mmCIF file of all heavy atoms in Angstrom:
data_model
loop_
_atom_site.group_PDB
_atom_site.id
_atom_site.type_symbol
_atom_site.label_atom_id
_atom_site.label_comp_id
_atom_site.label_asym_id
_atom_site.label_seq_id
_atom_site.Cartn_x
_atom_site.Cartn_y
_atom_site.Cartn_z
ATOM 1 N N ALA L 28 11.703 -10.308 -1.183
ATOM 2 C CA ALA L 28 12.651 -10.787 -0.182
ATOM 3 C C ALA L 28 12.575 -9.918 1.072
ATOM 4 O O ALA L 28 12.667 -10.408 2.192
ATOM 5 C CB ALA L 28 14.066 -10.766 -0.751
ATOM 6 N N ALA L 29 12.372 -8.606 0.840
ATOM 7 C CA ALA L 29 12.302 -7.702 2.000
ATOM 8 C C ALA L 29 11.083 -8.028 2.852
ATOM 9 O O ALA L 29 11.166 -8.073 4.071
ATOM 10 C CB ALA L 29 12.248 -6.249 1.543
ATOM 11 N N ILE L 30 9.941 -8.268 2.227
ATOM 12 C CA ILE L 30 8.744 -8.588 3.010
ATOM 13 C C ILE L 30 9.002 -9.844 3.812
ATOM 14 O O ILE L 30 8.742 -9.896 5.002
ATOM 15 C CB ILE L 30 7.521 -8.924 2.123
ATOM 16 C CG1 ILE L 30 7.191 -7.770 1.214
ATOM 17 C CG2 ILE L 30 6.320 -9.291 2.986
ATOM 18 C CD1 ILE L 30 5.962 -8.025 0.398
ATOM 19 N N ALA L 31 9.530 -10.855 3.124
ATOM 20 C CA ALA L 31 9.753 -12.120 3.807
ATOM 21 C C ALA L 31 10.680 -11.893 4.994
ATOM 22 O O ALA L 31 10.449 -12.399 6.081
ATOM 23 C CB ALA L 31 10.364 -13.121 2.835
ATOM 24 N N ALA L 32 11.705 -11.084 4.771
ATOM 25 C CA ALA L 32 12.672 -10.870 5.852
ATOM 26 C C ALA L 32 12.024 -10.139 7.016
ATOM 27 O O ALA L 32 12.223 -10.489 8.174
ATOM 28 C CB ALA L 32 13.859 -10.067 5.337
ATOM 29 N N VAL L 33 11.224 -9.114 6.702
ATOM 30 C CA VAL L 33 10.666 -8.320 7.780
ATOM 31 C C VAL L 33 9.565 -9.074 8.494
ATOM 32 O O VAL L 33 9.455 -9.029 9.711
ATOM 33 C CB VAL L 33 10.157 -6.973 7.228
ATOM 34 C CG1 VAL L 33 9.330 -6.243 8.259
ATOM 35 C CG2 VAL L 33 11.329 -6.118 6.813
ATOM 36 N N ALA L 34 8.749 -9.798 7.750
ATOM 37 C CA ALA L 34 7.564 -10.391 8.364
ATOM 38 C C ALA L 34 7.822 -11.770 8.966
ATOM 39 O O ALA L 34 6.986 -12.279 9.681
ATOM 40 C CB ALA L 34 6.453 -10.482 7.331
ATOM 41 N N ARG L 35 8.978 -12.355 8.645
ATOM 42 C CA ARG L 35 9.234 -13.738 9.083
ATOM 43 C C ARG L 35 8.991 -13.907 10.587
ATOM 44 O O ARG L 35 9.660 -13.298 11.410
ATOM 45 C CB ARG L 35 10.696 -14.077 8.775
ATOM 46 C CG ARG L 35 11.027 -15.538 8.971
ATOM 47 C CD ARG L 35 12.464 -15.795 8.589
ATOM 48 N NE ARG L 35 13.386 -15.092 9.468
ATOM 49 C CZ ARG L 35 14.613 -14.721 9.124
ATOM 50 N NH1 ARG L 35 15.046 -14.946 7.915
ATOM 51 N NH2 ARG L 35 15.396 -14.118 9.981
ATOM 52 N N PRO L 36 8.031 -14.723 10.962
ATOM 53 C CA PRO L 36 7.751 -14.892 12.389
ATOM 54 C C PRO L 36 8.562 -16.034 12.970
ATOM 55 O O PRO L 36 8.942 -16.969 12.259
ATOM 56 C CB PRO L 36 6.268 -15.284 12.384
ATOM 57 C CG PRO L 36 6.089 -16.012 11.075
ATOM 58 C CD PRO L 36 7.152 -15.535 10.119
ATOM 59 N N GLY L 37 8.837 -15.986 14.232
ATOM 60 C CA GLY L 37 9.457 -17.096 14.947
ATOM 61 C C GLY L 37 10.651 -17.670 14.227
ATOM 62 O O GLY L 37 11.536 -16.955 13.790
ATOM 63 N N GLY L 38 10.696 -18.974 14.099
ATOM 64 C CA GLY L 38 11.789 -19.615 13.367
ATOM 65 C C GLY L 38 12.856 -20.121 14.310
ATOM 66 O O GLY L 38 12.820 -19.889 15.515
ATOM 67 N N ASP L 39 13.802 -20.822 13.714
ATOM 68 C CA ASP L 39 14.874 -21.406 14.500
ATOM 69 C C ASP L 39 15.939 -20.349 14.781
ATOM 70 O O ASP L 39 16.563 -19.833 13.854
ATOM 71 C CB ASP L 39 15.471 -22.581 13.693
ATOM 72 C CG ASP L 39 16.681 -23.178 14.400
ATOM 73 O OD1 ASP L 39 17.022 -22.696 15.499
ATOM 74 O OD2 ASP L 39 17.277 -24.111 13.838
ATOM 75 N N GLY L 42 19.290 -21.213 13.206
ATOM 76 C CA GLY L 42 19.335 -21.642 11.802
ATOM 77 C C GLY L 42 20.395 -20.876 11.031
ATOM 78 O O GLY L 42 20.738 -19.745 11.376
ATOM 79 N N PHE L 43 20.922 -21.507 9.988
ATOM 80 C CA PHE L 43 21.913 -20.826 9.159
ATOM 81 C C PHE L 43 21.223 -19.802 8.278
ATOM 82 O O PHE L 43 20.107 -20.021 7.816
ATOM 83 C CB PHE L 43 22.656 -21.831 8.276
ATOM 84 C CG PHE L 43 23.653 -22.632 9.062
ATOM 85 C CD1 PHE L 43 23.430 -23.964 9.343
ATOM 86 C CD2 PHE L 43 24.805 -22.033 9.549
ATOM 87 C CE1 PHE L 43 24.332 -24.697 10.084
ATOM 88 C CE2 PHE L 43 25.722 -22.767 10.298
ATOM 89 C CZ PHE L 43 25.483 -24.104 10.561
ATOM 90 N N GLN L 44 21.881 -18.705 8.047
ATOM 91 C CA GLN L 44 21.320 -17.705 7.152
ATOM 92 C C GLN L 44 22.037 -17.753 5.823
ATOM 93 O O GLN L 44 23.248 -17.991 5.781
ATOM 94 C CB GLN L 44 21.524 -16.316 7.751
ATOM 95 C CG GLN L 44 20.308 -15.781 8.463
ATOM 96 C CD GLN L 44 20.616 -14.408 9.025
ATOM 97 O OE1 GLN L 44 21.340 -14.259 9.984
ATOM 98 N NE2 GLN L 44 20.069 -13.395 8.391
ATOM 99 N N VAL L 45 21.269 -17.479 4.760
ATOM 100 C CA VAL L 45 21.897 -17.352 3.451
ATOM 101 C C VAL L 45 21.988 -15.855 3.178
ATOM 102 O O VAL L 45 20.993 -15.145 3.292
ATOM 103 C CB VAL L 45 21.031 -18.033 2.373
ATOM 104 C CG1 VAL L 45 21.678 -17.876 1.008
ATOM 105 C CG2 VAL L 45 20.836 -19.493 2.722
ATOM 106 N N LEU L 107 12.901 -17.062 17.541
ATOM 107 C CA LEU L 107 13.215 -15.672 17.192
ATOM 108 C C LEU L 107 11.983 -14.818 17.425
ATOM 109 O O LEU L 107 10.868 -15.237 17.138
ATOM 110 C CB LEU L 107 13.614 -15.591 15.712
ATOM 111 C CG LEU L 107 15.085 -15.809 15.404
ATOM 112 C CD1 LEU L 107 15.284 -15.808 13.897
ATOM 113 C CD2 LEU L 107 15.950 -14.744 16.047
ATOM 114 N N PRO L 108 12.169 -13.618 17.950
ATOM 115 C CA PRO L 108 11.019 -12.764 18.238
ATOM 116 C C PRO L 108 10.297 -12.335 16.957
ATOM 117 O O PRO L 108 10.904 -12.255 15.891
ATOM 118 C CB PRO L 108 11.657 -11.539 18.896
ATOM 119 C CG PRO L 108 13.043 -11.922 19.225
ATOM 120 C CD PRO L 108 13.448 -13.007 18.299
ATOM 121 N N ALA L 109 8.998 -12.070 17.095
ATOM 122 C CA ALA L 109 8.234 -11.459 15.997
ATOM 123 C C ALA L 109 8.387 -9.952 16.133
ATOM 124 O O ALA L 109 8.521 -9.431 17.242
ATOM 125 C CB ALA L 109 6.784 -11.849 16.113
ATOM 126 N N LEU L 110 8.381 -9.234 15.021
ATOM 127 C CA LEU L 110 8.625 -7.787 15.081
ATOM 128 C C LEU L 110 7.355 -6.946 14.991
ATOM 129 O O LEU L 110 7.401 -5.729 15.172
ATOM 130 C CB LEU L 110 9.552 -7.368 13.932
ATOM 131 C CG LEU L 110 10.988 -7.898 13.986
ATOM 132 C CD1 LEU L 110 11.805 -7.291 12.860
ATOM 133 C CD2 LEU L 110 11.639 -7.598 15.329
ATOM 134 N N VAL L 111 6.243 -7.586 14.703
ATOM 135 C CA VAL L 111 5.006 -6.837 14.427
ATOM 136 C C VAL L 111 4.613 -5.968 15.625
ATOM 137 O O VAL L 111 4.717 -6.407 16.772
ATOM 138 C CB VAL L 111 3.868 -7.822 14.092
ATOM 139 C CG1 VAL L 111 2.534 -7.108 13.991
ATOM 140 C CG2 VAL L 111 4.193 -8.557 12.800
ATOM 141 N N GLY L 120 4.982 -3.939 10.351
ATOM 142 C CA GLY L 120 5.832 -5.123 10.294
ATOM 143 C C GLY L 120 7.051 -5.078 11.185
ATOM 144 O O GLY L 120 7.708 -6.106 11.402
ATOM 145 N N SER L 401 15.443 -4.609 5.478
ATOM 146 C CA SER L 401 15.602 -6.020 5.821
ATOM 147 C C SER L 401 16.797 -6.246 6.746
ATOM 148 O O SER L 401 16.747 -7.054 7.676
ATOM 149 C CB SER L 401 15.627 -6.867 4.537
ATOM 150 O OG SER L 401 16.868 -7.393 4.294
ATOM 151 N N ALA L 404 15.654 -5.224 10.166
ATOM 152 C CA ALA L 404 14.719 -6.214 10.716
ATOM 153 C C ALA L 404 15.501 -7.407 11.266
ATOM 154 O O ALA L 404 15.244 -7.874 12.379
ATOM 155 C CB ALA L 404 13.728 -6.655 9.649
ATOM 156 N N ASP L 405 16.458 -7.880 10.495
ATOM 157 C CA ASP L 405 17.271 -9.010 10.972
ATOM 158 C C ASP L 405 18.003 -8.645 12.263
ATOM 159 O O ASP L 405 18.047 -9.420 13.212
ATOM 160 C CB ASP L 405 18.300 -9.416 9.906
ATOM 161 C CG ASP L 405 17.662 -10.230 8.792
ATOM 162 O OD1 ASP L 405 16.518 -10.692 8.969
ATOM 163 O OD2 ASP L 405 18.304 -10.396 7.732
ATOM 164 N N GLU L 406 18.602 -7.460 12.258
ATOM 165 C CA GLU L 406 19.375 -7.055 13.442
ATOM 166 C C GLU L 406 18.469 -6.846 14.662
ATOM 167 O O GLU L 406 18.847 -7.169 15.788
ATOM 168 C CB GLU L 406 20.128 -5.753 13.159
ATOM 169 C CG GLU L 406 21.299 -5.897 12.203
ATOM 170 C CD GLU L 406 22.051 -4.586 12.018
ATOM 171 O OE1 GLU L 406 21.564 -3.520 12.471
ATOM 172 O OE2 GLU L 406 23.132 -4.616 11.408
ATOM 173 N N ARG L 408 15.578 -8.269 15.249
ATOM 174 C CA ARG L 408 15.131 -9.586 15.698
ATOM 175 C C ARG L 408 16.238 -10.263 16.515
ATOM 176 O O ARG L 408 15.997 -10.815 17.581
ATOM 177 C CB ARG L 408 14.765 -10.421 14.478
ATOM 178 C CG ARG L 408 13.843 -11.558 14.782
ATOM 179 C CD ARG L 408 13.484 -12.340 13.537
ATOM 180 N NE ARG L 408 12.576 -11.658 12.669
ATOM 181 C CZ ARG L 408 12.900 -11.084 11.510
ATOM 182 N NH1 ARG L 408 14.126 -11.106 11.058
ATOM 183 N NH2 ARG L 408 11.986 -10.482 10.792
ATOM 184 N N ALA L 409 17.446 -10.170 16.005
ATOM 185 C CA ALA L 409 18.563 -10.810 16.713
ATOM 186 C C ALA L 409 18.802 -10.138 18.064
ATOM 187 O O ALA L 409 19.048 -10.814 19.071
ATOM 188 C CB ALA L 409 19.826 -10.736 15.856
#
Side-chain angles (χ1 to χ4, degrees):
I30 301 183
V33 169
R35 189 177 65 206
D39 175 1
F43 285 108
Q44 261 180 287
V45 179
L107 272 176
L110 293 185
V111 172
S401 110
D405 282 346
E406 288 183 350
R408 201 179 287 106

